[in-house]
Amino acid sequence: MKRIYIHEEYCIGCRLCEIHCIAQHSRSKKLIKAFKEEFPRPLPRLVVEESGYISFALQCRHCEDAPCLSACLTGAMYRDEKTKAVLHDKDKCVGCWMCIMVCPFGVIKRDENNKIVSKCDLCNGEEVPACVANCPNEALEYR
Amino acid sequence: MERFLIIGSGPAAISAIETIRGKGSKVEITLLSEEPYIPYSRPLISYLLAGKIEEERLFYKGRDFYERYGVKAFLEEPAVEVNIREGIVYSTKGRKFTYDKLLIAAGGKPIIPAVEGKELKGVFTFTTLNDAKNIAKYLEVEKAERVLIVGGGLIGLKATEALLEWNLNITLVELADRILSLTLDKKASNILQWRLEKESVKVITSNTVQEIRGQKKVEEVSLRSGEILPCDMLIFAIGVAPSVSFLRESGVEINRGIIVNEKMETNIPNIYAAGDVVEIKNIISGKNQPIAIWPNATEGGKVAGANMLGEDKFYPGTFPMNSVEVCGIPTISMGLTEPEGNDYEVFSKEEGINYRKVILRDNRVVGAVFVGNIERAGIFCGLIKDHLDVSPFKSRLLDDDFGLIYLPREYRKRKIEEAIGL
Amino acid sequence: MPLSTIFPEFKIIRDKEKCIACQVCVRQCAFEAHIYDPEKDEVYSDDSKCVGCHRCEALCPTDALNIIKYPFDIKDNKNWTPGILNDIYRQAESGAIILTGMGCDKDYPIYWDRILLNASQVTNPSIDPLREPMELRTFIGRKPRYVEVERSQERDTVKVKTQLPPQLRLETPIMFSAMSYGSISFNACQALARAAEEIGTYYNTGEGGLHPDLYKFGANTIVQVASGRFGVHPDYLNAGAAIEIKIGQGAKPGIGGHLPGEKVTEEISRTRMIPTGTDALSPAPHHDIYSIEDLRQLIYALKEATEYKKPVGVKIAAVHNVAAIATGIARAGADFITIDGLRGGTGAAPQVIRDNVGIPIELAIAVVDSRLREEGIREEVSLIAAGGFRKSSDVIKAIALGADAVYIGTAALAAMGCHVCQKCYTGKCNWGIATQDPYLSKRLNPNIAARRLVNLINAWSKELKEMLGGMGINAIESLRGNREHLRGVGLEEWELRLLGIKPAGEGW
Ligand SMILES: Cc1cc2nc3c(=O)[nH]c(=O)nc-3n(C[C@H](O)[C@H](O)[C@H](O)COP(=O)(O)OP(=O)(O)OC[C@H]3O[C@@H](n4cnc5c(N)ncnc54)[C@H](O)[C@@H]3O)c2cc1C
Ligand code: SF4
Ligand code: SF4
């Protein structure tokens, strides 16, 4: 499947990926509007980790053998037949946090406003996910 | 055509079926289910009872699961006997089912203690959809108001949480000196108990039910302490035991649960078992024990399914873990949470209701507790599984920004590669 | 603290309507010109810290930022300009020499902009480079006066009998000038090396030695030997395709170099062969060179060390007596001479030297080429020009004036992202180029930088071919020193004379 690859040696910690992820998952999909007018602000579907000069953006790895799929009690976490991406159906999720408990990358977030989880959806069929498209230094790659 | 027979319709059975069909196999699959329903998610019964979801949502695999997966299912027809020599399973309806390969995924049965009065109306367990429906009906019809929940473990708390939505007068009785004593550490137990009490749940610890009294239905109970509590309904939630009674004479080796190897094979050729019904290796203690959690059932089912098709898959084991939310306070616990002895190093941090604790043995994570802030808890699950030496970064384990960045770069890289199957 | 009279150079304009307080600017500015206020969830700026690198502006996702010149309007005065005043304020407060980076930015004439090229009309046909072969290949090195060939009877083939001195083969007459590892980041060095390899040209190590990971690009490397002799050892000398002895640099003729100890990281210390954290001082002169004879000794020592297999050249700054010095260098046995003009760049130089010492490269090329011809030794040495080459037309004019090839420095840095803010000497280059801070240097992804360098050189090479074709010339060699193809506009008589070109309007 097409995946996001991380080149941490080129991550500059600017967090543009995070910012564009928020916008992409907002109602308007417009940066300024998403940040200034939409509340609560959507959660970014990735984490940017930083320590000293090292940093990298980490989003769901869409694991081949995904622990979150095995742990989900509701079928909310599912694998897309076509793309093989691990996706999350917010209508099925009950917020039991089993998936958070087992995801070894810690990339599933608790959406406290909606009492469900939130995770990378590879921008739902966009040609290139927003984080990759907006990384200024090719630290993220989609192939 | 090869004939597979499956006993049970829980996640272990389902994931075995999904694995078998996912690999394109056309074998004949027959399934015996004690349940009158198509497969549903048991953990969701508390959400149903709480009125948070519709019944339809329980059927998490869709109404047409058996048709889609080509499974000939016999509902409300549990297995009563297995004849391993002939390869026959007998059902309650007296029918004979032959098989080439058998998967036992019968899960667990709630334990009901031998106390006087346990047959009275108004005494329930809380594991099945019918349990939830019956409880709801009883509450409505009998206008029950005072509820006693026996057992402060996972299921007891799930029941409590659900019944809080009904505005009842709830008392929780727990034998140990604190609730969730098997999964949480003391501090986390205390936080949750404090929270329950804030919701007016009466929590009684170090005590249990001695006798249930009433004419036809429950009216009061006496506790071991001698205390008498008037009550309209009682729910037993003191644990589940592998449901193996129908196997006692079969020759399938059983301890508390069915004994299996890493391929989920029992001692009898062509008979596999997975889920709550088996004793699985606890990779922290190294000993085999029933670990009645959902992920263990799906993982085990997956491996059993693949091996039934002749593959060579292994399930190295797991460890106890759980995620429980009580009145808006999420908690996650895994592995050893209140270890005894000097072999352990414990890190903990508390800020209001947010509490984190990590337990190391030989510089390996062997347990963790999260209360309130549960973000990224899964990283620790990975660390336990991978048995990673955390000494280079152990001072960071409780940092707010703790993440993969603190793990050795090589390990991090390999982990990412492994996840995507490189 | 007494009042500072220094005023900011730039003004940061933040469009509050657009700013989403995402803090990208805060994270990107190594000079800390942007500050986040968590209480108000707002970002504000401090103009006095801004160096005008435009990094924030480039990365701001909502285009909320605009960096403009600080409007400092003193009473109009051609003598006491704001820039002059600010320098005085600065020195009055610090008592120190003003340091700067990059090349001279003062208003001296840029002759490239006053020289025009010729084109063919009617009497000689122009050539379409898309349809006909066009040769940009250039060889750098001493050329024999004549070539003896041997005709083999049986097979009717020709063989060169003369033993040719070692040559550098350039697929286009543009190389990357000396920028040391230390003054620029490892990623920048790597990008230059990779681009040179891909294009078929050379980059120059500068005086910082050669990082072990870059040895694999040796075939496209010119290694430098400078007064500090940093990182010079037999393997180093033999790793490259040519050796360049650095006597001087256009940005700071007559003075040495100084890489502050903070920049001497472990990697750099290993590469330069000096202790970590110590200042890397390049003396002003080579202390073993006080005459052309001394220089000859070093040239031959290096040739010995590399078994006469590699061209050895000498780099000097363009100074008043450049022509005479150049012939001396040629006679000392150099295979090429590099002349770095007034506008040559640097990682750090005293501003007063950078802006006031040396002569423009255009004049230097012309006088050196003329002098070598006059003395009949033009073939014995190749001439490489450097210092402020900005575009392909500068390059082609330099070749027509008499250069064999050019070095580009600043243009290459700009291709990698440099915005010429001149703060290289601070080590805080926000574009990740002139810095050793790993937090900053990773901003330069060598994959992207190498790609951009290759694109730039390819684009220039295409333009060179277009211009050559227009002149009816199909090989860059035929243009070299062919000053008939140049005409001057707005130049004085003496300038035309020194450049050796006719004024525009005058025919053959
Ligand atoms: C209320 C509740 C909440 C829970 N919450 C969580 C949670 O949050 N996280 C978590 O990890 N786990 C949770 N669990 C546990 C989880 O549901 C079990 O671990 C899991 O269901 C085990 O799956 P299984 O397939 O092994 O067995 P089960 O799901 O128990 O399925 C076994 C099936 O076999 C049937 N059966 C039994 N005997 C026979 C027989 N003789 N013949 C035919 N059929 C038979 C049973 O009727 C049942 O349908 C919860 C359980 C309950 C009851
Ligand atoms: S959420 Fe976590 S466990 Fe699930 S597929 Fe993504 S990375 Fe893997
Ligand atoms: S939180 Fe939602 S997605 Fe995660 S395991 Fe629970 S139901 Fe599935």
Side-chain angles (χ1 to χ4, degrees), chain B residues 288-302:
Chain B
N288 286 39
Q289 68 180 88
I291 297 182
I293 56 170
W294 186 280
N296 175 51
T298 38
E299 294 288 343
K302 204 154 58 178

Side-chain angles (χ1 to χ4, degrees), chain A residues 98, chain B residues 7-8 10-12 32 34 42 78-79 106-107 158 275-276 292-294 322:
Chain A
M98 288 291 285
Chain B
I7 300 177
L32 297 185
E34 192 176 23
R42 287 197 163 167
K158 293 238 167 195
D276 285 5
I293 56 170
W294 186 280
N322 233 311

Side-chain angles (χ1 to χ4, degrees), chain C residues 174 390-397 459-461 463-464 467:
Chain C
I174 307 166
R390 307 158 300 168
K391 47 196 177 185
S392 59
S393 58
D394 293 357
V395 175
I396 205 161
K397 290 170 190 173
W460 283 18
S461 300
E463 291 177 344
L464 289 177
M467 291 182 282

Side-chain angles (χ1 to χ4, degrees), chain C residues 102 175-186 188-193 202-210 214 221-224 236 244 246 249 272 315 340 344-347 407-416 418 424 433-434 436 453:
Chain C
M102 309 309 290
M175 299 189 286
F176 301 127
S177 65
M179 291 179 275
S180 68
Y181 172 41
S183 73
I184 59 172
S185 63
F186 176 78
C189 292
Q190 195 195 347
L192 289 165
Y202 298 81
Y203 85 103
N204 189 312
T205 60
E207 57 183 302
L210 184 60
L214 298 180
T221 307
I222 298 175
V223 296
Q224 211 177 48
Y236 169 72
E244 185 178 82
K246 178 197 166 186
Q249 186 177 342
R272 294 206 172 203
K315 174 179 180 175
D340 196 11
T346 178
Y407 268 135
I408 59 167
T410 306
L413 297 182
M416 293 196 274
C418 167
C424 329
I433 302 167
Q436 302 309 322
L453 285 165

Side-chain angles (χ1 to χ4, degrees), chain B residues 391-403:
Chain B
S391 43
F393 53 90
K394 67 181 166 190
S395 63
R396 300 263 181 203
L397 289 168
L398 291 179
D399 285 4
D400 288 336
D401 66 346
F402 179 74

Side-chain angles (χ1 to χ4, degrees), chain A residues 59-63 66-69 86 102-105 107-108 119:
Chain A
Q59 53 293 85
C60 168
R61 302 286 88 208
H62 299 275
C63 304
C68 60
L69 288 180
V86 174
V102 297
C103 172
F105 297 102
V107 290
I108 305 178
K119 73 176 279 297

